Each structure stands twice: as structure tokens, then as C-alpha cells.
Amino acid sequence: MKNPNSSAATRRGRFSWALPALVAATALLSTAVALSPASGAALAASKRCGRIAFTGNDGVSGTSGSIYTSTIAGTNRRNISSVGPSAPTGNDNAAWSPDGTRIAWQGSDGTTNQIWVANADGTNRVAISSVAGATSLNSNPVWSPDGTRIAWSGKSGTLTTIFTADPDGTNRVDIAIPSHFDPLIQPTDNRTPQWSPDGSMIAWVGIIGPGTPASRTDIYFAQADGSAMTNISGPTGLEGLKGNSGPTWSPDSTLLAWSTNFVLAGITEIVSVPVASTLTRTIISGGGVSPAPLGNLTPSWSPDGTRVAWSGVSQTGASTGHMEIWAADPDGSNRIEVSVVDNATLDPTLSFQPVWSPDSSLLAWSGTRGGATSLQLIVANADGTTRREISAVGTGTDPAMVLHAAFAPDSGDPFTDVPSTSFARADISCIFSLGVTTGTSATTYSPADIVTREQMAALLARLYRKLDGTCPAGGDPFTDVASTSFARADVSCLFQLDVTGGTTSTTYSPANPVTREQMAAFLSRLWQRALGKTCASSGDPFTDVPSTSFARADVSCIWSLGITGGTSPTTYSPGDNVTREQMGSFLARFWAKAIGL
């Protein structure tokens, strides 16, 4: 029988972006090198499969901001605010629903700023801030943790308040300005709401006497219905705090951190205060090794509660005078200058608005680097390593002036037949999040089923497209792939990319199972021929792959990349069929290696 994946010719696919070649074993995949997809370990790589939303100038409509989403590597970028007729302009501050299916943001309808809610692909867009009566200057939407409500800042009459409503705009409530209030002691200008992770409270910035000499800006919080409103930054013991902004909740909802100006000292710090005891204060940005950064702003608490990130002006080394990203423990210890850890020759000179990934392993922020003048979206590991400017990766005109990033939530997948103990549990969620698989039904993945060559073509072609790969035009010579096959175009794609040549010159054998030997060839060729990358030539430890195997070099390739570690330290089991469970791990590891995060 002919090599199941033999090459028909030397055809090279065009790839629209390039990532630097990686060393054979990165820290990200260090566990993968020793383990095969059948060995029982989930990979950190699977946590690199989510999406991110951000604001950027679309390069078409002048300075009008657009809402983009992309993978966290910057590929598969989409302008979702432009989907459909009468698209809003000046869009900003995207917020994902807790299940990751919808996005809310602010944008102008031509008359005033509205709060818009749409599906994550931009379809079914609705202006929810005008459903229950006219409002104006609406901004900064945020979802309740259970996804049943949205809070935002908006103007009702002459006062700016905090509204909450159902996601369709009904049942709107004004929580910040009670029916009886005193403008001398209660805020009339309320902004930037933040819902507590337990869903019970909302914090925001409130200004008393805006525009007057006696004006002061404080941090308020209240129950989600507006009751028990408290000025957490204004008690007597904290009177030295002025110019308060940027509240962020601890994951257990017991603490609020924000940026504040110490009037007497003339410095701006990140502080945290317990909501149950508002006179206790911790200065986060001033802890650790001296000199501490100055002008500290935009704090963000990691979802696991172990770190706080913020932007502040550096006072040390080559970055002195630059606004950088910092992270520290909540008590201020173990502070690091995140934005200058990796690649010092291109360190950002202006970095701000850090946000965390759902698993706390990544930070994203807006920044300029390498002499650039336009803000771009930068993503790095939480320790600052593997920093990437992802808003300049995708196809088409790169967005400029990128602001306000938001990671999509880690919403998992709907598959009830993949147990939590599966070695590929997280990997299957990864490829589902990427859109590489939708399962065998709405709620099943069928992890024990054997992967067919037809399924393999669909999975690999989808993964290639998620990496912004473009399938070359042209068909294929295979007479046994029906025109009605779900993978008809995908088989042609792999043929044109020189990833497969079929099982004969005219057959592809779509119903045949894929062996681990064939799987190695598919992945190695996709890596080298379609993506144009190289494999290390260090060999592998497998004694059961003969030198005469058509996939001998391919097995070594995916082993060197950390995509497989074999079925034991010395065996690869090339003749075994690949299950859908194993396939999930193969693809998630390939993705993580390809994006370099």
C-alpha cells in the first residue's frame, strides 16, 4: 500500500504571518515532551486557546474605534462592531458575558453613546441602554458573574449614575443615585462600575461636586440593588486619599484595590481596603524593593487572588521615566516590572491597562515598543516572559491605538461524555474554544471513537485557518471523497498544502482510521510545509519506529516539538489507531507550539 499521506508534488502553502522558531522544549511544553496524548496528563498549553477582545482604530473610518476579537496569539482577528447595518462608531470597553457567547460595549449611534450587546461574532446587535427609556453618554458595561444583569455608567437627566439591567435592556434600575439624595455628600457623577466576583456588590468611582473647588473623587460600593452604599475611600482614617480611580475586586469579594493620590506626600499609589473594615489600608505599589514606581494607575487583581498588576512610572534602570506594567503579591511583596522582562531592545516605553487571563497565567496590556508611536496590544506570561505584540499579527490592516483588552472567560465546553479525569479534558476544551471541533453532537465529543482520515482533514484544515493560514485555490484528484462530505474542501486544502497526497494517486480513503504513524506525518507536514517552520534533528527515543517507516522523520519532528512523548519512554506505538481523545491533545499541543505562548 502506498504511504497513506504521500506527497503528490512539492506544493507550498502561503502563510500570512510568521512567528519565530522556538527551541525544542519550552517551559510551556516541558511536561509534554515526556508524555503522549494517551499518557494521562493535561497540558498548560490548553490554557492558550481562548480569545481576547480589544478596542482599536480600524484604519478605515478615521479615528473611530472598533471592537476586535482574536485568539490570544492575535490570529483569526475579527472586527465585530462593524457586523450588520448601521454599525456604531467610537466603540470601546468590550466586556464578555460569563459564558463567552456575547459581548457588551459602548458605542455611538450617531446621537449619543449606547451600550450594545451582541453575539461574540457581532451578530444580533442590540442597543440595550435605550430599551427602558432614553439615556445618554453610556459607557463601561460590565456583566454580573451569573450573566443575568449588566451594569454601566450613563446619564439620566443632568446626573451620571450607575444602571443595571437585564442583558436585553429590560428591568433597568438606577443604583447610584437614590430618590432622595444630597449632592453635597453624595456623588452626582458615577463611573466605571465593577461587579464583585460573588455577584452581591458593585463598586464604582463617584464624584461629589464635579467641577467645583471642593470636588473629590471617591470609590463607592453598594449591594447590587443599590442599598447600603458606602464610600470606602472617604472614611476619616483615609482622608489623605484623593483622586481615587480604577476599583478592582479581590476574587473572594472581600477587598477592593484602586489607585489613589496621597495628597500630603504627592504620590499616587495602589491601595487595597477590606470592604468589611474600611479603615484598614495596604499600600501595594509601595512595597518591595526601593525605589518603588510612581504615578501608579489601573490596578487589576488576578483571578486566582495571588497577584495584583498595575501601571506605574519606573524609577530604575533603562526604563526610568517610562510607564511600565508591574505585578506584586497583594501585600506588595515580590514586585516585578513585567513589561521589561523579555527582549530589552524592544521594551515598551508606555504600558498601561493590564488585564489577566482567566487562569492568571497571562497578562495583556496596551503599550508602545521599539520606537513605535501607536499603542498595540501586548500579551505575555504573568512573569513577563514570551512577550508578543498580538494586535499586529492578524491579516488585513492592523488596528492602531489599541486599548481596553478583555480576555474571554474560560467557559469550557458542552461535552458531557469527556470525564474530568481524562488526560485530554482541558485540551478538548481548547480545540472547542478555538472552533476546531464542535463535537459529534451538541453535548458529546465521543472521545473513545477512532479518528477517520475525513475527520482528520477537517480538524487540521480548521486549525490551519485559525492560525490565519489561507488554503491555496485548487481541488484534488481524489474520486472517493464525495462532494457532500463535510470535509470536501478540507481534503483539497491539505492536498494543495502538500500535507497529504492520498492513499493512491486518485484515492484519499476518507473512512479509514488514522494511525499514530500517519498522525505524525500529518502534523509534521502541516508544521513544516504549510507553516514553513523547522524541526530539530535530534532524533527521538522510540525503538518501535523502524528506520524504514515513511514517518520516521515525522515522529522525530513532533517529539522534538513536544507534541508527543510516546506511549512509553521508549515506544511510540506507530500502528495504533488515534482516538478523538488523543487527537484533542495532539491538536492543542500543536496550537500552543505554533503560537509560541
Side-chain angles (χ1 to χ4, degrees), residues 238 241 255-260 262 269-274 277-288 301 308 328-333:
L238 302 181
L241 308 185
L255 296 162
L256 272 168
W258 68 89
S259 170
T260 188
F262 284 82
E269 300 281 17
I270 305 300
V271 300
S272 70
V273 176
S277 177
T278 58
L279 296 183
T280 304
R281 181 179 68 207
T282 299
I283 300 177
I284 300 173
S285 52
W301 216 303
V308 176
D329 294 348
D331 63 359
S333 62

Side-chain angles (χ1 to χ4, degrees), residues 429-456:
S429 291
C430 163
I431 62 173
F432 173 80
S433 297
L434 288 172
V436 172
T437 187
T438 56
T440 51
S441 79
T443 58
T444 60
Y445 179 75
S446 306
D449 285 3
I450 301 301
V451 178
T452 67
R453 289 173 58 85
E454 185 179 36
Q455 295 168 354
M456 184 76 265

Side-chain angles (χ1 to χ4, degrees), residues 10-15 464 467 497-499 520-537 550-561 563 590 594:
T10 305
R11 293 174 290 270
R12 296 295 182 264
R14 296 297 181 189
F15 203 62
Y464 178 67
L467 289 165
L497 290 171
D498 198 21
V499 172
F522 273 123
L523 292 174
S524 171
R525 292 173 185 177
L526 186 67
W527 181 265
Q528 296 182 85
R529 298 178 182 180
L531 304 191
K533 297 176 180 290
T534 59
C535 294
S537 56
F550 67 85
R552 174 64 274 184
D554 300 317
V555 172
S556 293
C557 171
I558 65 170
W559 180 83
S560 72
L561 292 171
I563 295 172
F590 187 99

Side-chain angles (χ1 to χ4, degrees), residues 226-261:
S227 63
M229 187 169 73
T230 301
N231 180 346
I232 193 172
S233 61
T236 303
L238 302 181
E239 276 299 326
L241 308 185
K242 304 287 185 180
N244 303 284
S245 66
T248 180
W249 289 93
S250 63
D252 63 4
S253 303
T254 64
L255 296 162
L256 272 168
W258 68 89
S259 170
T260 188
N261 179 255

Side-chain angles (χ1 to χ4, degrees), residues 19 70 161 183 328 338 391 437 443 512 532 571:
L19 294 173
S70 74
T161 188
V338 176
S391 52
T437 187
T443 58
N512 284 6
T571 60

Side-chain angles (χ1 to χ4, degrees), residues 98 142-151 164 175 194-203 221-227 249-254:
V142 59
W143 294 76
S144 64
D146 63 3
T148 62
R149 302 283 285 174
I150 295 176
T164 69
I175 72 162
Q194 294 293 319
W195 219 299
S196 65
D198 67 3
S200 67
M201 296 173 284
I202 298 175
F221 72 93
Q223 296 300 302
D225 63 2
S227 63
W249 289 93
S250 63
D252 63 4
S253 303
T254 64

